[in-house]
Amino acid sequence: MVDDLSLTPIQALAERVAALLGDRIAEHSISFGELTVRVHRETIVDAVRLLHDDAGTRFISFVDVCGADYPDRDERFEVVYHLLSPTNNNRIRLKLRTDDETPVPSITPVFPGADWFERETYDLYGILFSGHPDLRRILTDYGFDGHPLRKDFPTTGYVEVRYDEERKRVVYEPVKLAQEFRQFDYLSPWEGTDYVLPGDEKKSS
């Protein structure tokens, strides 16, 4: 067993958390002086409660919940939680993985302040939270189609919202592009392209 005096504070925290959470942890790492712990999805509420109540951790301050999208994975989403311990001057990042159908248990029973953050994560990514007291959109408009922070959400969106002067009200219309939406190759004219750039037709003839 490693002598505790030989550990840095962040290493000591990692050992304390590993002992506290046990098999709830899927993996953990220390990077850039911060501890990141990935837990199994179904254990998140239990894990957060233990970190909150344990005298050696005392993560009593909730910072935020957010999402990340990795479309090539079977479980494409990561839900990321940041907690703070003012008592011990420590921070921790918790992560879990899920897909667009499997709900994540809401941590609002432990941190009521997570309410709006989970709603935002649902709104922008479509990640579901079971046990949430009021899971509905919070940033997008009523009837919004899709979840705008998913990687496969079109950059133009689906619907245009504008005020119609003749009708004297806000109207919703399908997005109409003035030209066909193009996928850019991001090559500059100096690097060369495999096609004729607009304006260079005379030069190539």
Side-chain angles (χ1 to χ4, degrees):
M1 182 175 178
V2 179
D3 182 5
D4 287 346
L5 296 177
S6 68
L7 299 177
T8 65
I10 194 68
Q11 290 172 333
L13 174 64
E15 287 206 351
R16 178 77 180 195
V17 170
L20 183 65
L21 300 187
D23 58 6
R24 299 173 185 83
I25 295 177
E27 62 183 359
H28 73 278
S29 64
I30 297 174
S31 182
F32 301 102
E34 294 187 354
L35 174 62
T36 300
V37 178
R38 184 166 70 85
V39 300
H40 299 291
R41 178 178 55 242
E42 64 277 4
T43 69
I44 182 61
V45 177
D46 195 22
V48 167
R49 182 175 285 111
L50 286 170
L51 292 171
H52 177 281
D53 295 344
D54 181 68
T57 54
R58 294 298 288 156
F59 285 103
I60 62 173
S61 180
F62 165 80
V63 180
D64 66 9
V65 176
C66 57
D69 185 14
Y70 301 90
D72 54 338
R73 294 181 183 174
D74 290 336
E75 294 183 306
R76 66 182 289 180
F77 299 116
E78 281 193 351
V79 183
V80 185
Y81 305 79
H82 294 100
L83 305 177
L84 175 68
S85 172
T87 306
N88 300 321
N89 192 27
N90 284 325
R91 295 177 182 271
I92 191 170
R93 177 184 300 109
L94 299 177
K95 291 184 177 182
L96 60 82
R97 293 179 180 175
T98 192
D99 53 36
D100 52 4
E101 295 180 354
T102 308
V104 175
S106 172
I107 66 167
T108 51
V110 183
F111 290 109
D115 184 337
W116 283 16
F117 289 89
E118 290 180 350
R119 284 179 59 188
E120 180 180 346
T121 305
Y122 161 69
D123 191 0
L124 300 182
Y125 291 95
I127 298 170
L128 301 170
F129 292 90
S130 61
H132 190 283
D134 185 23
L135 191 63
R136 57 193 170 97
R137 292 184 182 271
I138 191 171
L139 294 178
T140 57
D141 203 357
Y142 298 106
F144 188 87
D145 186 12
H147 303 280
L149 286 189
R150 287 189 177 189
K151 296 288 179 63
D152 51 8
F153 187 81
T155 55
T156 58
Y158 297 107
V159 178
E160 178 184 9
V161 182
R162 65 180 179 84
Y163 181 77
D164 189 291
E165 189 63 41
E166 294 181 1
R167 302 182 206 177
K168 302 297 183 184
R169 65 179 179 87
V170 174
V171 296
Y172 298 81
E173 298 174 337
V175 171
K176 295 178 182 177
L177 299 176
Q179 58 183 354
E180 182 181 354
F181 187 75
R182 296 173 292 174
Q183 298 296 327
F184 295 98
D185 58 16
Y186 299 105
L187 288 174
S188 73
W190 295 274
E191 293 169 331
T193 61
D194 296 330
Y195 53 85
V196 177
L197 291 170
D200 284 352
E201 296 86 353
K202 293 181 180 179
K203 184 177 179 181
S204 61
S205 62

